[in-house]
Amino acid sequence: MASSSSSSNNGQRIVKSMQGISLIKLQGRTFRVATQSLDYNNRPVTKGTSSFETPLSSEINSDGEEKKVEGEGTLYTEEFVTIHHPVHPKFRSLLLGKGGSTLKRLRIETGVRIDVTKGKDYALIKGPQDKLDNAKEAIDRIIQHAYDKARATHFLSFPVTTAYTTRKLEEFYQSILSSTFKCDGIDPSILVLPANIHITLGIFKLLHQTEIERAVKFLKEECPKIINEVMANQDRALSVHLRNLALMQTKNPGQAHVLYIEPHEDNREDQPLNKLCHALIDKFVEAGLMVPEDRPFKTHVTLINTSHRSINPEDPESKKRRPFDTRPILKEYAHLDLGSAPIDKLHLMKMGRKGPGGTYISEGCISI
C-alpha cells in the first residue's frame, strides 16, 4: 500500500492508493478517483482547460461509507468564485438563444459556468476569478446591443394644448385635407391630434415596471427642485407662442417626414423655458433614465409625422415610411399662428397613443 503524501497548494492530500484507485481529500471531503488521472504531483491531469479536473467515482463520508457522486462527476480543483451579474428580465431569452445556443456559446468562449433563471434579474456566473471579467463583458455586450435596438417606451413633455390652439389647428388640418388643396402624401393618419401636441424633452427605454416607477419617482421628487432653481428669479409663468412652420432634418421640402411649429418665448430675453428644458434633460440623463441624444436639443411642436401613417396589412409597401410634399403647405401656411399656450405641466408619457380617442397616457405629472 502506498504511503500518504502531500499534494500541491490547492489543498489536496493523497490518503492512500489501491488497485488503481486513489483517495483524494479536497476541502474537507474525500473522493475516489482513478490513479492514472493524477500527474506526478498527485494533481488531477488538466485536459484542455485552465482548471484541474478529473472524473469522480465516489465520495467517502466521515463514517467511511462510500457514496456515488451525482451530477457531472467532475471535480474542479482550481478555486472558483460565484457572482450574480445583472441581466434585465426582458433580455433573458436573448441571452439564452434558440435552444440555449447563445448560452452554450458563451460558456465555451469564456470558460465559465453561466446560468440564467426565469424571473431573475441576474445571471449566475461561476468560474476562476481571472475569467469572470471576460464573462461579464461578453454578457454586457449582448445586453447592450439588444438595448440599443429596443424601441423607446416613454417620453418627457410639456403639453401645449388650449381651446384656441385646438380650434386653429383643426382649421389648418381641414384646409390641407380638402379636395381643393393639392399636397402629395398627406392623409389624416399622419396629422398629430390637437389634444396631443406637446414639446418633447427626451425619450426613455423603461423596459420593466420598476424602471417606470423609478422614473415617476424622479419626476415627482427631483424635478420640482430643478424647476424651483431655474425659475427662482422669474416673475411670471412660462408660456410659448406657437407660430411659423419648419421642417425637421431635411433639405428637400418635397420629401419631408416631419413638419413642426416653432414655440417662441416672446419678450423673454433670458429664455427660461430653454434653460429649464436643458436642466431637466441633464438631470434625467445623469440619473440613467433618459436616453442621451447625439444631436443638440431643439424645442419644437410636431404637427405632421409620417411615422404615424396607417399601415395596410395586405400591402407590404405600406410598411415603408413614405414622405409627403410640404411645399404647398409652406407656400400658404409658412407663418401659421396657433396662439399662445401656458407651460404649466410636465408629463412622463407612454408611447403609442393608446388613451381615449387616440391620446397619450400619462404615467406621472407635476405642475410647473
Side-chain angles (χ1 to χ4, degrees), residues 4 8 12 54 56 94 110 116 144 159 202 226 238 292 300 304 312 330 353 356-357:
S4 301
S8 60
Q12 298 175 60
T54 186
L56 300 181
L94 186 69
T110 61
V116 293
Q144 186 62 51
I226 301 169
L238 289 175
H300 67 281
I304 303 177
N312 181 357
L330 293 175
R353 306 185 307 283

Side-chain angles (χ1 to χ4, degrees), residues 38-50:
L38 303 175
D39 65 12
Y40 63 89
N41 286 319
N42 292 327
R43 300 185 307 179
V45 178
T46 301
K47 297 183 178 179
T49 67
S50 62

